Amino acid sequence: MSLSDDLDRIRADARAALAAATDSGQVEGLRHDLLGRSGRLTALLRQLGEVPADERPALGRLANEVRAEIEAGVRERQAALSVDDLEERLASETIDMSAPGRPVPIGHLHPVQTLMRDLRETFHAFGFEVFEGPEIETDEYNFELLNIPADHPARDLWDTLFVAEPGSVEAGEPKPARDGTILRTHTSPVQLRAMLALDAPIRVLAPGRCFRYEAVDASHGSEFFQLEGLVVDRDTSLADLKGMLEEIARALYGRDVRTRFRPGYYPFTEPSVAFDIGCLVCGGVGCPACKRSGWMTILGAGMVHPTVLRNGGFDPAEYQGYAFGMGPDRMAMLRHGIGDIRLFFSADTRFSSQFAEGR
Ligand code: DAH
């Protein structure tokens, strides 16, 4: 059998094998078998030296032709197969552009913050603007200037957390700081900060965190929020206070809400009142939520005491004012039917994520 026949057979075999190959591994194997160091074509080319000189050029040309054809065929087939691979991969990775996106978890306001925001918006319509004071206060602002002297029995209403005198804790004998620094027990000290900073007429809202040394239970936390309001102007009366609070109650709880004022006592207001709304849980019949009274107290209020006005730099003969303080935690509990105030500070998202309306 002649070398030329062998070459023809290798060419035919290569063509058939290339056409039949289904993955690039097979094509590579074929290249190795034919063109590799000990491949069939390589072995055949080595025999060229033994061929009679006159036949050599023609055979050499044929051999080169076959090698070039196989090399080109291998390249082409590899390229075609890799396109197939790519198409297969693309098909398996198809993206459905019409599918809804994956939801991205975004945060929301805490239910107490949502309630305070709603209150702020309602009060904003009455011309109130926000004025904030510090959470770490002094005895002077938290008590003295609010007409609560050091030995006044009313101080028992505000169980106070004191900031320790530097060094006293380390010495094993904690003492209240000599400069009177405490954690504010209510937002009322902001009344004084506002009066001393602003000119009349004053209409401010002071939202913020307060702290008390409490026996913590389902309705008392040692950390809670208050929303304080203060109006100082000429000719402000208790009637203005009543009218405004009734409007606020209607805005928050609906036109049909029932309201009432009761006498109250606070050293910084005279007269002082408590403002109640008809129980939202039982509608006024009496239930555990309203302690069977049919009413729920939502805030304390009153006409600013003349001493407090004077402490704030206003002459009580010329100016009057009213103030009120509400508890947003309790109001949020009422709004959502939450039974335990401690949940608000639990930092448990299983609780807070139920109130996602506060975006
Ligand atoms: N500061 C009072 C408290 O913590 C609440 C309060 C009552 C605020 C009457 C006022 C007010 O501004 O007029 O119990």
Side-chain angles (χ1 to χ4, degrees):
M1 201 188 297
S2 75
L3 268 181
S4 135
D5 289 341
D6 285 346
L7 282 169
D8 283 341
R9 184 149 332 105
I10 288 176
R11 186 193 333 236
D13 286 354
R15 281 180 185 162
L18 279 172
T22 52
D23 67 57
S24 59
Q26 285 170 12
V27 178
E28 179 52 28
L30 178 85
R31 196 193 62 78
H32 183 262
D33 289 348
L34 297 180
L35 309 176
R37 209 183 262 271
S38 45
R40 269 166 78 196
L41 187 62
T42 317
L44 223 147
L45 291 173
R46 280 201 200 103
Q47 294 172 30
L48 264 181
E50 295 151 27
V51 169
D54 58 332
E55 288 177 29
R56 232 179 272 157
L59 264 181
R61 219 176 298 119
L62 180 63
N64 278 333
E65 211 183 283
V66 170
R67 184 176 47 200
E69 186 187 319
I70 294 175
E71 280 172 351
V74 163
R75 262 198 310 278
E76 250 167 57
R77 197 71 192 116
Q78 287 289 33
L81 283 172
S82 77
V83 168
D84 284 354
D85 285 355
L86 188 66
E87 268 162 11
E88 205 171 290
R89 224 175 75 215
L90 281 178
S92 75
E93 284 177 9
T94 304
I95 298 168
D96 178 358
M97 300 300 277
S98 69
R102 274 189 212 136
V104 179
I106 46 169
H108 57 83
L109 290 181
H110 188 280
V112 174
Q113 295 300 326
T114 307
L115 187 120
M116 295 218 286
R117 185 192 60 187
D118 295 350
L119 282 170
R120 274 205 303 273
E121 277 169 15
T122 308
F123 278 105
H124 188 73
F126 284 88
F128 284 78
E129 49 187 339
V130 171
F131 188 99
E132 286 182 296
E135 292 172 1
I136 299 173
E137 260 296 2
T138 60
D139 184 277
E140 187 187 16
Y141 277 95
N142 197 81
F143 294 118
E144 296 279 340
L145 295 173
L146 284 164
N147 199 30
I148 319 170
D151 47 7
H152 197 288
R155 284 215 178 189
D156 290 351
L157 294 172
W158 295 280
D159 294 303
T160 308
L161 287 161
F162 295 85
V163 173
E165 175 66 18
S168 68
V169 174
E170 293 83 337
E173 262 186 89
K175 286 191 188 65
R178 236 169 306 188
D179 64 3
T181 317
I182 60 164
L183 299 186
R184 70 175 174 197
T185 60
H186 51 177
T187 43
S188 299
V190 187
Q191 288 186 30
L192 272 304
R193 294 191 176 272
M195 281 192 270
L196 291 169
L198 306 172
D199 289 328
I202 293 174
R203 261 170 188 265
V204 290
L205 208 55
R209 205 180 288 265
C210 305
F211 309 87
R212 285 186 203 174
Y213 182 62
E214 289 280 0
V216 173
D217 63 22
S219 50
H220 297 85
S222 54
E223 213 180 328
F224 56 95
F225 286 90
Q226 283 194 343
L227 192 75
E228 189 90 11
L230 172 72
V231 171
V232 178
D233 204 349
R234 295 172 206 272
D235 306 320
T236 309
S237 73
L238 191 65
D240 296 335
L241 170 66
K242 289 183 72 174
M244 204 225 17
L245 289 181
E246 277 166 359
E247 265 325 303
I248 294 289
R250 282 196 274 272
L252 279 178
Y253 298 108
R255 305 294 315 169
D256 299 331
V257 71
R258 292 182 307 131
T259 58
R260 74 173 183 187
F261 289 86
R262 286 183 292 121
Y265 172 73
Y266 297 100
F268 35 87
T269 43
E270 182 58 39
S272 302
V273 297
F275 182 55
D276 300 344
I277 58 166
C279 179
L280 298 170
V281 178
C282 65
V285 194
C287 70
C290 59
K291 300 205 181 87
R292 319 227 157 265
S293 71
W295 295 95
M296 290 176 149
T297 303
I298 62 165
L299 57 86
M303 298 305 292
V304 180
H305 195 286
T307 303
V308 176
L309 278 173
R310 227 175 275 119
N311 291 343
F314 289 94
D315 178 358
E318 261 189 79
Y319 289 94
Q320 299 80 45
Y322 62 77
F324 53 87
M326 40 179 99
D329 303 81
R330 242 178 74 78
M331 294 167 80
M333 287 168 78
L334 286 178
R335 175 187 257 190
H336 299 293
I338 295 163
D340 195 322
I341 197 170
R342 287 167 290 195
L343 288 165
F344 285 147
F345 286 88
S346 63
D348 187 338
T349 52
R350 286 172 304 175
F351 167 72
S352 52
S353 63
Q354 297 173 64
F355 310 100
E357 85 269 38
R359 291 256 186 252

